[in-house]
Amino acid sequence: MGGDALRWNEYRSVPWKNGGGMTRQVASGTLQAPMASAEITDGFDWRVSVADVDAEGSFSAFPGIDRVITLVEGEGMVLTVDGTPHPVGPLSPFAFSGDAATDCRLEAGAVRNVNVMTRRSRATATVRIVTVTVAQEAEMACAAGETLLVMAVTEGIAVSGPNGRETTLGRLDCVRHEGPAALTLRGDGMVVEMRINAAG
């Protein structure tokens, strides 16, 4: 499958599970093997979303889900996960369990976060920040069975795939690619690279 451009202004807004805020759905998916009936409640093996947090409070519980949160706007926040505080700074992916009791304290006003969720029994995620410069293009190889999502944190990033077609990304636009290929990133800025693979 080729790369699909996902645009910020097309993401669907939905309320948080606990009603405490809004999140924009970027992409979600299921893996090839059928889910056990007990796992179907949320209907995804992995999900990427962007959440606006403008008030302190509790995060929704997601039993059986692993989470990675990356702050893409704002100064910082402190997540207290099962009683232990963790400062989370800009562009520093932080992994935690959706089972944990998690509260958020804002350090300096509202923040915006990219969230990657994976069903622990079925999928895993790796998240990293990649810097792209005019002098140094970034290459990202996508493996067989892997889903690669690249979200622009800044304006001015273009992504081209194996077909040579180039997609220019606005801020928080995303490209999704599945299966073996190499993507080339050009421009000057930063992206969040998210890789989804089957668990095990």
Side-chain angles (χ1 to χ4, degrees), residues 1-7 11 130-133 136-142 148-178 181-195:
M1 181 187 291
D4 298 321
L6 309 168
R7 300 296 183 183
Y11 300 156
V130 176
T131 299
V132 183
T133 66
Q136 183 70 52
E137 295 177 349
E139 296 280 343
M140 293 182 183
C142 185
L148 171 63
L149 297 106
V150 180
M151 178 178 285
V153 179
T154 54
E155 300 279 351
I157 302 290
V159 182
S160 58
N163 60 8
R165 192 177 77 235
E166 192 166 82
T167 301
T168 300
L169 299 180
R171 184 170 162 73
L172 301 181
D173 288 351
C174 188
V175 166
R176 171 181 173 177
H177 187 88
E178 295 178 6
L183 302 183
T184 302
L185 280 63
R186 298 183 183 86
D188 188 11
M190 287 182 289
V191 300
V192 184
E193 176 199 84
M194 299 163 274
R195 295 178 181 271

Side-chain angles (χ1 to χ4, degrees), residues 84-99:
T84 302
H86 300 272
V88 179
L91 302 179
S92 298
F94 175 72
F96 63 105
S97 170
D99 302 88

